[in-house]
Amino acid sequence: MPRLRKREWIIALVAVLLTLTIGIPTGMALADPAPAATDQVDNECDDILGSGTPEFMYCKWMAKTPKDALDVVRFWARNDGEKLKEGVPYPGPVLFCTDSSNKGPGMQDCADKDQVLCKYDHSAGKYVCKDVDGNITKPPAKACQGGEFDCSGGGGSSGTSSTTSGETTASPGPNDTTQNQQTQADPNVQTLEDPNAPPADTPPQDEPRTQSDTNGEDAPKVETSTAPQQDEVTPPSDDPQQPDTTQPQPDPSTAPKQQQTTPKANQQTLTAPNDATGKAAAAAIKLGMRVWIESELAPAWTAGKDQFDAAVASMAAQASRPGVVGVKFAQDLGYWGFKTATDVRKFVKDSSTALRAAMPAGKQLAVDVVVPEMGCGANEPCQAALRGKYPLITRANVEKYVLTGDVDHVNVSSGLFSSEYATYKITPDKALRNQWIGVRARGWDTRVHVGAREVGLAHSGANKLTAAQAEAAAKLRVDLPLQAGVQTVMLWTHRQEWDGATWRLLDQGLATNTMWKALQARKGLGRLSVTFDASDPEKGITQDLSKLAEVFDEVYIHSQ
């Protein structure tokens, strides 16, 4: 990676700071605007993450609100930018782990003897690495590819290493914005647990929500999409729709020119269906909305290869329409429908392989996840209780499911465990802050696009919120995730029957309410999305989508 000259660094920093003044901050703070405050305890980060956690340092240096970002800008702009002109980037240290299992240090408990610490040497213009005894050594071979590291090992040839070619994890200092950029640019640098490390083997259980396979097994490599036979489980109550895995009949009049193969041996013309879902997708695209096709592949995967292949073919056909971003194939992954973590990982791998083979190139894959323990913050009894109750969706397991390259976009659900957090005196708003700061601090956005899936703004009956209450709810459930760095906030739901009532964001008949007005004020962000069932519109597909376009730039259309 080429190094920037001092003048280029100043220009780059000015551009970043200007961005922070006009938008919601999603990056790390560049400096502490009040240096004397560095000796004080950061109560928010300590309370949410715990000062002894690896994520704490990231939280401490994040600009978490627009005011934080503005303070940073004012600090650097003081006295005609004197501080900015004097500023010189100082790369922080990089810590490698070279043990045989390629685990990283810190978060992954890498042994001291296997650690290699590299510090930037300004005179040499490179990172110089030393082992635990202080002897100059080589980093893993992958680190030598960019020319940033001294790979001579104190006298040997560069570009090789006697150590295992492992993945890396950064250990940045407070001012280490340069290292943060390197981490995002280099796929070999990791800041999280190695998602491919094989977890422990634990026997499966029968209940889908009290499974005891806490860590799961490393999913075997597969050539085709084959699913183990297991009982189908009803989805959770927050979104009870069951997908229809019957392949829709294509309408030749709407067939695009592009052809693709399905996961089956025979080749078929990939045709975007003209059913309700297809019509809704076409209408939303015409309105300028980004379109995702969503369905649940887990029941079909559980039922066996034939049903799974048919469901994949159906989703691929819907996604073939020009203008469709991609497909979402799982809702609250691992929360229901599976008995072991191994099955969840295999399901994700099989679905990703089959869908990528069936869909036109460039289409993206998304899933929804929920991680109960992240709402606990630093409350260890809460964490332990929720890990024990929901072992398949612990943070460690979820990261192994979705940070592996098999999916491109991950929506993190919130608001599903408020009653359980209340046991530990954690309020819903505190749980939300805990979750989003934790997700950001762990660097999920360096692996996937991160979105929020919010279920707390829909209502049954007529909306009864005052304008002030609606604005407060929007700040908590829309603004907070965006400030924490998520790309989009998906709201459940435009209209859906659930638990004997109809839930909506608007009122009956597409009538505007206080919540809708609060959301309309955020239209300019371009970050809001909504779920939409084309088979059950309020007035009609076109009328409903035209109304939704007043607020939303993105729509997830449920595929029948």
Side-chain angles (χ1 to χ4, degrees):
M1 180 175 68
R3 297 194 56 76
L4 299 179
R5 300 177 185 275
K6 179 177 179 181
R7 180 179 178 84
E8 294 171 325
W9 270 107
I10 293 176
I11 294 172
L13 286 172
V14 169
V16 171
L17 294 174
L18 288 175
T19 300
L20 289 172
T21 64
I22 62 175
I24 292 176
T26 59
M28 297 178 67
L30 300 178
D32 190 340
T38 56
D39 295 333
Q40 301 175 1
V41 176
D42 188 326
N43 292 323
E44 182 177 27
C45 292
D46 183 67
D47 187 40
I48 291 175
L49 299 169
S51 59
T53 62
E55 299 90 348
F56 175 77
M57 69 175 71
Y58 293 96
C59 176
K60 182 174 174 58
W61 290 95
M62 292 191 304
K64 293 178 280 294
T65 69
K67 183 180 182 300
D68 294 340
L70 184 59
D71 288 343
V72 172
V73 172
R74 287 171 175 167
F75 172 78
W76 286 103
R78 194 176 303 154
N79 298 327
D80 194 29
E82 178 183 2
K83 292 291 185 182
L84 185 61
K85 295 173 184 177
E86 295 174 354
V88 177
Y90 186 81
V94 179
L95 190 59
F96 292 98
C97 185
T98 59
D99 65 344
S100 58
S101 61
N102 291 328
K103 291 182 179 179
M107 300 179 199
Q108 292 82 17
D109 300 321
C110 178
D112 290 345
K113 66 181 180 62
D114 296 316
Q115 295 182 6
V116 173
L117 180 63
C118 304
K119 295 183 178 180
Y120 192 78
D121 186 331
H122 285 276
S123 61
K126 292 186 176 183
Y127 285 90
V128 175
C129 306
K130 295 183 180 181
D131 59 22
V132 68
D133 296 321
N135 301 316
I136 295 178
T137 187
K138 304 174 187 176
K142 288 182 180 179
C144 298
Q145 296 174 359
E148 292 288 318
F149 293 83
D150 180 358
C151 295
S152 64
S157 59
S158 61
T160 60
S161 175
S162 60
T163 59
T164 302
S165 178
E167 297 185 24
T168 70
T169 185
S171 179
N175 296 323
D176 189 21
T177 55
T178 304
Q179 179 57 37
N180 188 50
Q181 294 167 357
Q182 176 182 336
T183 302
Q184 297 185 42
D186 186 351
N188 296 320
V189 179
Q190 292 188 349
T191 58
L192 299 175
E193 293 178 355
D194 182 2
N196 296 313
D201 182 13
T202 309
Q205 298 293 323
D206 294 331
E207 283 296 325
R209 295 195 187 180
T210 57
Q211 312 94 322
S212 62
D213 181 13
T214 305
N215 296 318
E217 297 179 349
D218 194 11
K221 296 181 179 179
V222 294
E223 297 180 358
T224 58
S225 303
T226 56
Q229 299 297 321
Q230 56 180 337
D231 295 335
E232 183 175 327
V233 183
T234 304
S237 60
D238 67 294
D239 196 352
Q241 291 184 334
Q242 292 288 344
D244 180 0
T245 57
T246 304
Q247 183 175 357
Q249 296 299 318
D251 182 353
S253 64
T254 62
K257 295 180 180 180
Q258 187 175 7
Q259 292 185 349
Q260 282 285 338
T261 58
T262 70
K264 296 182 179 180
N266 59 310
Q267 293 186 346
Q268 301 177 1
T269 300
L270 207 57
T271 304
N274 196 33
D275 58 3
T277 301
K279 291 176 180 178
I285 292 168
K286 189 175 181 179
L287 288 166
M289 303 175 80
R290 301 185 300 273
V291 174
W292 289 84
I293 303 299
E294 69 168 16
S295 188
E296 181 58 72
L297 282 183
W301 183 86
T302 302
K305 186 177 187 307
D306 289 343
Q307 291 193 38
F308 178 68
D309 285 347
V312 167
S314 176
M315 292 191 74
Q318 293 284 8
S320 69
R321 186 182 305 276
V324 173
V325 177
V327 300
K328 189 190 81 177
F329 63 87
Q331 174 188 294
D332 296 338
L333 179 69
Y335 183 56
W336 64 278
F338 296 93
K339 296 181 179 179
T340 69
T342 301
D343 286 346
V344 182
R345 294 177 70 182
K346 190 172 187 301
F347 163 70
V348 173
K349 184 66 176 178
D350 287 355
S351 299
S352 175
T353 300
L355 286 166
R356 292 198 195 281
M359 295 190 303
K363 303 294 183 178
Q364 298 185 40
L365 299 180
V367 295
D368 298 342
V369 300
V370 58
V371 192
E373 71 187 72
M374 294 192 80
C376 297
N379 190 313
E380 294 183 0
C382 174
Q383 293 176 9
L386 292 181
R387 286 171 186 162
K389 188 172 183 179
Y390 305 103
L392 297 196
I393 49 175
T394 62
R395 178 192 54 75
N397 269 336
V398 170
E399 287 182 345
K400 292 171 185 176
Y401 303 151
V402 301
L403 303 183
T404 59
D406 289 325
V407 297
D408 309 297
H409 188 96
V410 175
N411 298 307
V412 185
S413 296
S414 56
L416 301 181
F417 300 94
S418 296
S419 61
E420 299 189 59
Y421 297 139
T423 303
Y424 302 93
K425 303 186 185 304
I426 299 173
T427 61
D429 59 330
K430 185 62 180 294
L432 283 171
R433 287 178 168 82
N434 290 344
Q435 172 177 293
W436 290 119
I437 290 179
V439 166
R440 184 179 174 192
R442 289 194 63 80
W444 281 28
D445 60 338
T446 67
R447 303 287 192 90
V448 292
H449 290 108
V450 178
R453 180 176 180 268
E454 178 56 62
V455 302
L457 295 183
H459 62 278
S460 60
N463 174 63
K464 298 180 181 179
L465 297 180
T466 65
Q469 289 172 331
E471 177 63 19
K475 284 182 177 179
L476 179 65
R477 299 182 181 275
V478 175
D479 298 353
L480 175 65
L482 292 177
Q483 289 172 2
V486 307
Q487 278 77 14
T488 55
V489 178
M490 180 216 304
L491 301 183
W492 180 88
T493 175
H494 168 54
R495 172 189 166 92
Q496 184 171 318
E497 299 295 327
W498 173 45
D499 198 24
T502 302
W503 292 75
R504 303 177 175 90
L505 292 170
L506 288 154
D507 282 348
Q508 186 175 2
L510 303 181
T512 298
N513 54 37
T514 55
M515 178 54 65
W516 190 256
K517 291 179 180 179
L519 295 175
Q520 280 182 309
R522 290 157 172 80
K523 167 69 173 176
L525 296 174
R527 302 288 193 89
L528 297 180
S529 61
V530 65
T531 59
F532 179 74
D533 186 351
S535 68
D536 187 24
E538 187 75 21
K539 289 186 175 180
I541 290 174
T542 302
Q543 297 97 313
D544 287 26
L545 286 170
S546 295
K547 184 67 176 179
L548 292 177
E550 294 178 2
V551 166
F552 300 101
D553 290 274
E554 185 174 72
V555 60
Y556 282 74
I557 301 175
H558 185 73
S559 178
Q560 302 302 314

